[in-house]
């Protein structure tokens, strides 16, 4: 089938990439907590998406300049890869938020924060955790739906 893809001019570049892409094989990671597991699995998916896109680009004989199209590896990405990337964005935002507790911008230790400030911080942390968990679960569901 791959040979047929190269010779079909009616297919767009994005469609050819989508047809040639291969998902990351099953990956069972043991140990660690949920955050560590999710970070490892989602990072592996995003790295695979980038490497597999470069493989397809080479097979098609195309060299897309990264400077002009920095997110071009998202062309032809699988749904589970999209959720993995979004989960990593939620995790990054969550970790940045959590760092404010350890090194607050106002140079006050957590115990000296006003009650309202701590409550707001905790509420935001819960929202960020919920977003992260939602995307990780969506990632797992998308992989399951794809039969992976």
């Amino acid at each position: 089938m791959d040979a047929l893809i190269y010779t079909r001019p009616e297919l767009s570049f994005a469609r050819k990439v989508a047809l040639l892409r291969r998902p990351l094989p099953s990956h069972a990671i043991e140990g660690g907590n949920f955050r560590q597991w999710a970070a490892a699995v989602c990072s592996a998916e995003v790295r695979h998406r980038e490497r597999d896109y470069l493989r397809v680009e080479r097979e098609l004989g195309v060299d897309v300049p990264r400077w002009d199209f920095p997110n071009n590896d998202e062309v032809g990405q699988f749904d589970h890869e999209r959720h993995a990337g979004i989960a990593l964005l939620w995790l990054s935002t969550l970790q940045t938020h959590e760092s404010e507790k350890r090194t607050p911008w106002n140079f006050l230790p957590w115990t000296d924060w006003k009650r309202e400030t701590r409550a707001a911080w905790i509420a935001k942390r819960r929202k960020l955790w919920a977003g992260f968990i939602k995307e990780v679960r969506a990632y797992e569901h998308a992989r399951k739906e794809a039969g992976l």
Side-chain angles (χ1 to χ4, degrees), residues 56-119:
V56 170
E57 194 178 71
R58 280 191 309 275
E59 285 183 18
L60 292 174
V62 178
D63 183 23
V64 178
R66 297 296 177 266
W67 183 262
D68 295 331
F69 304 99
N71 296 332
N72 206 43
D73 59 336
E74 294 176 2
V75 171
Q77 72 181 339
F78 296 107
D79 195 39
H80 66 276
E81 293 171 334
R82 182 178 63 81
H83 286 295
I86 295 170
L88 288 177
L89 292 174
W90 277 102
L91 179 59
S92 175
T93 306
L94 173 64
Q95 290 173 326
T96 301
H97 178 68
E98 288 176 338
S99 72
E100 291 175 4
K101 182 179 175 187
R102 291 186 298 279
T103 56
W105 297 107
N106 60 6
F107 299 103
L108 291 174
W110 173 258
T111 54
D112 292 344
W113 285 19
K114 293 179 183 174
R115 182 182 187 112
E116 301 81 27
T117 305
R118 283 186 292 191

Side-chain angles (χ1 to χ4, degrees), residues 17 33 43-44 50 77 101 104 131:
V17 170
N33 60 33
S43 294
E50 294 165 359
Q77 72 181 339
K101 182 179 175 187

Side-chain angles (χ1 to χ4, degrees), residues 2-55:
D2 289 359
L4 296 175
I5 294 171
Y6 303 117
T7 60
R8 297 189 51 197
E10 73 275 8
L11 293 178
S12 69
F13 174 72
R15 185 69 184 131
K16 288 179 182 179
V17 170
L19 291 170
L20 291 170
R21 287 283 327 278
R22 293 184 209 125
L24 184 66
S26 179
H27 46 273
I29 298 176
E30 302 292 327
N33 60 33
F34 176 79
R35 184 190 289 208
Q36 292 169 333
W37 171 85
V41 168
C42 291
S43 294
E45 287 288 357
V46 170
R47 282 192 304 272
H48 170 75
R49 177 187 70 194
E50 294 165 359
R51 287 190 306 267
D52 198 44
Y53 174 81
L54 291 173
R55 177 192 58 80

Side-chain angles (χ1 to χ4, degrees), residues 123-135:
K124 184 174 179 182
R125 183 176 186 268
R126 285 184 182 141
K127 179 183 173 192
L128 294 172
W129 254 112
F132 172 60
I133 291 171
K134 177 183 168 209
E135 285 302 324

